[in-house]
Each structure stands twice: as structure tokens, then as C-alpha cells.
């Protein structure tokens, strides 16, 4: 029987590589277990379950008739109001519910925002190393992902002068991610505000992804002061994820904050790609924003503690250099100058049972680095990394 002849698919999709995390996770199938149980440091997954009261409320919401119905395109009013109030409190600004839209995760928030701002042939500046889903999304939309280099000697914090040199008539937006994925770098407030001024002056949008903002270092309660006045409205779009802060990644809840006029426009896109955000978590998050504030703070302290534990675990191994760390991630320089990042990561996984991602997944010029997502394992597991990394050879 002759096989069917398949018509060609969209080359913008076909030319994008497969999702990298499943590829890396397959390496662990070859680990024989000689160093103990596998340690998965490949993906930013909350290391603990949601608060018990939240689980109870989620179960009730999932079983309700209302939770099975369509909701508003931009999200349920109760959550939009509660989230806007939380933003106004956190950033000491005036943000209304009409300035927010809820999405099925922050990846969808990014995709919809890029569709809003740019079209085929336009360009968006992405700091490198970049979050690979951002680059993949732009590639599939036919939008140039123009690298904005971030240097190890500067803690992987981008420079305004480098960005300005890259802006031409094709550039429609500049993306910042802070705390950063993959490097963990936390951008100083004055740097973020300088980028906002650059974007305002050059007539492009600043899109700031703050997925990990609830895991800033102790004593740092907000990443920037952009929302303190209404000057942000013509320039800034903020993205957020509820997944990590509330340990609900499977419920797929993200948010876009932008001027109400822009939110009205992005609703057209959201209507086509999601109809409405998931209903179950929307029913519970208005309660959780206030009720679980202390729980979230405890989680922040725990994650920051794990970062410190990871640093201590690598202190006896100076050849493995932590070049940046924060929130969920560390960016690690491996000690094999002639080896590819993928070869090092694969060797760690198959021989030592430690799975992290090669820097090559995060853009050009990253072959000397590995990304470590340390937040999803306990401190005692992180302590064991010393022996797992010691003496590795290629």
C-alpha cells in the first residue's frame, strides 16, 4: 500500500527545533543509577505542592457547574480586580482591572503580546542567553529574534547602549526577563527604568516578563518603579505567571498588564487562541492573593536558601564557576573548553544522574554554560551535587 503524500507544512514551524526539555530528559534513561537517585535540574517546576487550603478550594471549583462554563475573554472580573489591586500595592501605582488580561500561562501571554506588537518581517530584541520558548515563538511568527548580548562579566545584565545600537525601523519591541530565565540574573531597578526610557524615546514597546518576581532576593520587594506614575502606559507591557508563586503550573495561569486600550486589542488575539483562561484557578486566586501572602514569603525564603545551598555545594569545585544565580536558576560555566555544552550536559545526565540544560539551548555563544534549575529539589539533594560533579571527565 502506497504511503500518503503529505503536503508541506508552514516552514516557519517546520524550521523550528523540537522542544528541548524532552530531548534532554531522554538522556536520563541511560543513567544506570551508580551515583544514587537521579537529580532533575532541567525545568523550573515548583518543588512543593500548593497550600492545602488552596488544593481544597481548587477541588471544589473544579467540581462546580460554573467552572465548566466559558468565562470572559480577558478573565474573570474577581481575579482581574484582585490582581490589579495587588499590582497597585506592590508597585505603588494606579493599575485598574481594565489594564489586565488573564491568559493560559505566561507563554501564551508572550505569544499574544508579540502578535499584538509585531508582524512578519519585524524584529524584537531578546537578551541572550534567551528563554528558548520566546525565541521559538518569534521564529514561528516570522519575527526576527534579534540578540541583545548579555555579558558574564556584567552578571548577564543587558546594557542600554548595546540595545540602542541594535534598534532600527524593523524593531517594534524590546524584551526583558527579570529575574532572568535562564541565568537567574536580577536586573537592577535603574537598569529597567533606563530601558523603559530608551523604548519611550525610540517609540518601541518594553515587554518585561516578571514570571519570577515573587522570588526576588530577601529585602527586595519590587523589581522597578515603572508603575509609580502613568508614564508607563504608552511604553510598558508586563507579563506574569501565577504558576511558580502558587505552585500551580498545571493550571496554566498567566497575566498581561498594559494600558486598557492595548488590553482591548489583545483580547482579539486571546479570543482566537484561548476563548477564555482556565476557570478553576481563576475562582481560587482572588482569595489566594491575600490569604497566602505569608506562605509565598516562606517559599521565597526557601528558594533563596536553596540558591545559597547550591553555591556552597560548588565551593569545593572552583573549576565549575557560577556566573549568575537568582530566583529559580543558576548559570554555570563548565570546565571543558573544548567540549560542547550539550556533550557536557549529556555526560552529567548519563554518568552522574544530574540533568541540567546545555547553554546552547538558550541562544548563540553559550557553549561554555549549563543552566541549572535548582528550585525544584530540596537542599539536602543540592548538597549532594559536590560529589556528583567532582572528577567528571570528557
Amino acid at each position: 500500500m502506497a504511503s500518503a503524500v503529505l503536503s508541506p507544512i508552514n516552514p516557519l514551524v517546520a524550521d523550528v527545533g523540537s522542544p528541548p526539555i524532552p530531548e534532554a530528559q531522554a538522556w536520563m534513561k541511560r543513567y544506570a543509577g551508580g551515583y544514587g537517585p537521579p537529580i532533575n535540574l532541567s525545568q523550573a517546576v515548583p518543588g512543593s505542592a500548593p497550600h492545602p487550603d488552596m488544593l481544597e478550594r481548587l477541588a471544589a471549583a473544579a467540581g462546580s457547574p460554573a467552572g465548566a462554563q466559558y468565562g470572559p475573554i480577558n478573565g474573570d472580573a474577581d481575579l482581574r480586580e484582585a490582581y490589579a489591586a495587588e499590582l497597585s500595592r506592590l508597585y505603588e501605582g494606579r493599575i485598574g482591572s481594565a489594564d489586565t488580561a488573564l491568559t493560559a500561562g505566561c507563554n501564551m501571554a508572550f505569544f499574544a503580546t508579540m502578535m499584538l506588537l509585531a508582524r512578519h518581517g519585524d524584529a524584537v530584541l531578546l537578551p541572550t542567553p534567551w528563554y528558548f520558548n520566546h525565541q521559538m515563538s518569534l521564529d514561528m511568527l516570522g519575527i526576527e529574534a534579534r540578540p541583545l548580548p548579555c555579558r558574564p562579566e556584567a552578571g548577564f545584565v543587558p546594557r542600554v547602549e548595546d540595545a540602542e545600537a541594535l534598534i532600527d525601523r524593523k524593531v517594534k519591541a524590546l524584551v526583558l526577563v527579570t529575574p532572568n530565565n535562564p541565568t537567574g540574573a536580577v536586573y537592577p531597578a535603574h537598569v529597567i527604568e533606563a530601558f523603559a526610557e530608551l523604548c519611550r524615546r525610540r517609540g518601541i514597546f518594553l515587554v518585561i516578563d516578571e514570571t519570577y518576581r515573587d522570588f526576588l532576593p530577601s529585602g527586595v520587594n519590587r523589581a522597578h518603579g515603572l508603575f509609580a506614575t502613568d508614564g508607563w502606559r504608552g511604553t510598558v507591557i508586563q507579563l506574569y505567571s501565577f504558576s511558580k508563586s502558587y505552585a500551580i503550573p498545571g493550571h496554566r495561569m498567566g497575566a498581561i498588564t498594559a494600558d486598557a486600550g492595548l488590553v482591548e486589542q489583545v483580547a482579539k488575539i486571546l479570543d482566537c487562541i484561548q476563548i477564555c483562561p482556565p476557570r478553576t484557578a481563576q475562582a481560587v486566586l482572588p482569595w489566594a492573593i491575600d490569604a497566602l501572602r505569608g506562605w509565598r514569603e516562606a517559599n521565597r525564603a526557601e528558594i533563596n536558601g536553596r540558591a545559597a545551598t547550591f553555591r556552597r555545594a560548588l565551593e569545593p569545585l572552583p573549576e565549575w564557576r557560577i556566573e549568575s544565580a537568582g530566583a529559580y536558576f543558576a548559570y554555570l560555566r563548565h570546565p571543558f573548553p573544548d567540549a560542547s555544552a550539550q556533550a557536557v550536559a549529556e555526560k552529567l545526565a548519563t554518568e552522574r544522574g544530574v540533568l541540567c540544560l546545555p547553554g546552547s539551548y538558550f541562544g548563540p555563544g553559550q557553549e561554555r554554560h549549563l543552566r541549572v534549575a535548582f528550585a525544584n529539589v530540596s537542599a539536602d539533594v543540592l548538597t549532594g551535587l559536590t560529589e556528583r560533579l567532582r572528577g567528571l571527565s570528557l
Side-chain angles (χ1 to χ4, degrees):
M1 181 177 178
S3 61
V5 177
L6 299 179
S7 298
I9 67 168
N10 181 352
L12 292 178
V13 175
D15 291 345
V16 171
S18 299
I21 289 178
E23 176 187 47
Q25 289 175 339
W27 300 334
M28 292 296 273
K29 296 176 182 178
R30 292 154 45 203
Y31 172 57
Y35 281 79
I39 302 175
N40 190 341
L41 305 174
S42 67
Q43 193 169 20
V45 179
S48 57
H51 190 281
D53 292 348
M54 188 166 191
L55 282 174
E56 184 177 339
R57 289 169 182 262
L58 286 168
S64 70
Q69 301 298 312
Y70 283 137
I73 295 168
N74 283 339
D76 291 354
D78 287 352
L79 179 52
R80 293 176 72 194
E81 290 171 5
Y83 181 60
E86 174 73 351
L87 289 173
S88 298
R89 181 197 66 81
L90 181 63
Y91 293 101
E92 300 178 357
R94 296 186 302 171
I95 299 170
S97 60
D99 300 321
T100 66
L102 305 172
T103 61
C106 196
N107 271 4
M108 181 175 284
F110 180 84
F111 198 91
T113 299
M114 292 301 104
M115 286 188 69
L116 177 71
L117 301 182
R119 61 183 177 178
H120 189 283
D122 289 336
V124 169
L125 299 190
L126 284 187
T128 54
W130 52 39
Y131 174 43
F132 46 75
N133 281 156
H134 285 175
Q135 178 258 334
M136 291 168 68
S137 295
L138 292 175
D139 283 355
M140 286 187 282
L141 290 168
I143 300 167
E144 177 192 349
R146 187 170 295 182
L148 169 58
C150 300
R151 298 170 175 81
E153 60 270 22
F156 291 100
V157 175
R159 302 193 313 169
V160 169
E161 54 268 37
D162 292 337
E164 180 142 33
L166 294 170
I167 296 172
D168 58 23
R169 60 180 181 80
K170 292 178 61 178
V171 174
K172 306 302 178 185
L174 184 155
V175 176
L176 298 180
V177 182
T178 182
N180 187 258
N181 177 7
T183 67
V186 178
Y187 301 169
H190 74 272
V191 171
I192 297 170
E193 290 155 14
F195 271 105
E197 177 55 35
L198 169 66
C199 292
R200 186 179 301 113
R201 179 164 46 83
R202 297 298 298 268
I204 66 174
F205 278 94
L206 172 64
V207 178
I208 180 166
D209 183 332
E210 295 189 68
T211 291
Y212 300 96
R213 71 157 181 249
D214 293 324
F215 302 96
L216 288 166
S218 177
V220 181
N221 294 321
R222 68 178 190 184
H224 54 77
L226 296 181
F227 295 133
T229 70
D230 280 348
W232 65 274
R233 292 187 173 276
T235 303
V236 177
I237 298 177
Q238 184 205 53
L239 311 180
Y240 177 68
S241 171
F242 295 91
S243 296
K244 312 302 187 296
S245 303
Y246 297 88
I248 54 168
H251 283 278
R252 309 310 304 134
M253 286 301 306
I256 299 170
T257 301
D259 181 73
L262 289 171
V263 170
E264 288 180 3
Q265 294 299 315
V266 83
K268 301 173 186 176
I269 302 168
L270 296 177
D271 185 40
C272 293
I273 60 178
Q274 72 174 15
I275 305 293
C276 68
R279 302 300 306 289
T280 298
Q282 286 191 83
V284 180
L285 283 167
W287 162 83
I289 285 172
D290 283 329
L292 298 186
R293 202 179 304 281
W295 180 81
R296 296 199 307 275
E297 274 299 306
N299 283 346
R300 174 165 80 153
E302 172 66 22
I303 296 302
N304 284 328
R306 291 180 191 182
T309 299
F310 178 75
R311 289 184 182 278
R312 288 194 295 272
L314 268 68
E315 281 177 358
L317 307 172
E319 66 273 21
W320 295 86
R321 189 161 80 239
I322 301 171
E323 293 197 321
S324 183
Y328 267 54
F329 305 109
Y331 214 53
L332 185 63
R333 186 176 178 89
H334 67 73
F336 306 104
D338 298 325
S340 69
Q342 180 160 328
V344 176
E346 190 170 355
K347 186 93 167 181
L348 268 177
T350 57
E351 291 195 2
R352 303 296 175 96
V354 178
L355 181 61
C356 49
L357 297 185
S360 52
Y361 285 1
F362 303 97
Q366 305 302 316
E367 290 293 354
R368 288 302 308 276
H369 293 93
L370 305 175
R371 189 197 76 172
V372 179
F374 54 74
N376 59 327
V377 297
S378 61
D380 61 314
V381 172
L382 291 171
T383 299
L385 289 175
T386 309
E387 293 308 312
R388 300 248 186 161
L389 270 63
R390 192 190 303 275
L392 183 76
S393 62
L394 268 77

